[in-house]
Amino acid sequence: MPRNNQYTAETMLNRLLDRFEAPLARTRDVTQTIDYTLVGGPAAQDEFHRVLRDAERAGGVALEQDRLGRFTGEFARVRLVDPDKLYRFLVRAPARATAETAHQAILAAIPEILADTFFRDIEQEAIAAWKSGKTFLGLSVGEINTFLTIIRLVHGIANLSGRDIDHRTFSRRTVKDSKALERMEGRVAQLLRRRDPSLAGEEPREVLEASGIVRRAHLLQVKGPIRLCSGALNIHNTGDAFIGLPWLSVRQASLAHGVDYVMTVENPTSFWRYSTEIDGNYLALLTDGFPARDVLSSMMHLVRHALLLAPETPVYHWGDIDAGGLRIAAHLEDAFGIHVQLHQMEPKLARAFGSPLQSQKGLERLAMRSGEIGQLALWLRSEEAKMLEQEELDPMPPILAAGRPLSS
């Protein structure tokens, strides 16, 4: 076995205290077996024995030998005798004491946030973990400042109202560090999902965008018979051009007439190609990945108007054939409140042009859905599953039941 220079007497003695602090019912004394293959050469072993004997003289531990050790001078194990004396020997504070200090510091730093029972429960859970010598959210008791930053970010997002905000502006305004949210988004998203289990998204960025935190404040890109008359804009019909509209303007927009279908598209390149290469009477909307909250609200407004003009208008989604693409489709379906059909998202296309699936995150839950989303999720969980980025495919219009493409 290769030697490990990190295996010192101090490391082993600290492990004794770690096990002592663990919240487990013990019927035996806390002991640690010594593995001399990890200690090192003669000089390292002499230092190893010196520290152990000093700890024994301090009254913290007892050194035990087996029969062979009486001839070799090696010890078989170390037994914890007096934890308080070993704490003093190692100049280590008991976990309960350091956790209590952390608790008082947190109470003083964010009393207004801890008035919310959710955050008070989170803090109590963290303190309980630290008292047992464990981590919370991967944080040790010495990382209180990081813990406070995470709590402040989660509290700010949970109480976010109004329009979406870009992640760096929000982070700077909330914790005076524009990159803090970027560094901690996984932990922040974890707590957001815990606060609201119904929150859409599996990946941290999806959860944040569903909560109003966006990477870029993009316009809603749309192609269709948009009609908009306001103090700032006067659009009678966009014709064959696709345009970008501010969210507030979209809420005043309507359709000049009904459309044959609605097509939502996940990625910008595929949206631009669809809008310029496919003719017809349709409404196309760019989600740009997982749609930000205001973008989704704008999309819902236009889809509702299309269905108001023609209730049987089919709604399609074209995205990547993978777990992320399906999560977006499911999010749209839930937001629109209608069945969304998948467009060019078929197993046969993935088999022909795809590559190995990288992630199955969220597929188990999606596979329980009815309709095409559930069916594709089931296939993506199978052994033959492959992923396919939609940019691999040329845009094509949906096919009518009669087998003919829709046309103007």
Side-chain angles (χ1 to χ4, degrees), residues 25-101:
R26 289 187 298 272
T27 58
R28 300 180 180 179
D29 293 341
V30 179
T31 62
Q32 186 72 40
T33 302
I34 300 175
D35 184 353
Y36 278 93
T37 65
L38 302 177
V39 174
Q45 183 170 315
D46 288 345
E47 175 64 14
F48 190 81
H49 283 169
R50 183 191 67 77
V51 174
L52 291 183
R53 290 192 180 100
D54 286 348
E56 185 177 46
R57 281 192 290 272
V61 300
L63 304 177
E64 300 179 353
Q65 290 180 313
D66 56 21
R67 183 174 300 178
L68 182 61
R70 295 168 187 168
F71 300 98
T72 63
E74 294 181 347
F75 299 106
R77 67 193 65 83
V78 181
R79 184 179 304 278
L80 181 63
V81 174
D82 189 326
D84 291 336
K85 291 180 179 178
L86 186 57
Y87 279 120
R88 287 195 293 273
F89 176 77
L90 293 173
V91 194
R92 167 176 167 172
R96 295 179 88 57
T98 55
E100 182 58 32
T101 300

Side-chain angles (χ1 to χ4, degrees), residues 263-267 270-271 273-274 316-320 341-345 390-391 393-396:
M263 178 68 67
T264 64
V265 185
E266 177 180 344
N267 297 308
S270 295
F271 171 81
R273 287 196 62 192
Y274 197 97
Y316 296 90
H317 176 67
W318 182 26
D320 296 335
Q341 302 178 55
L342 299 182
H343 177 65
Q344 292 188 268
M345 297 176 69
Q390 69 176 136
E391 291 91 343
L393 304 174
D394 292 327
M396 295 180 61

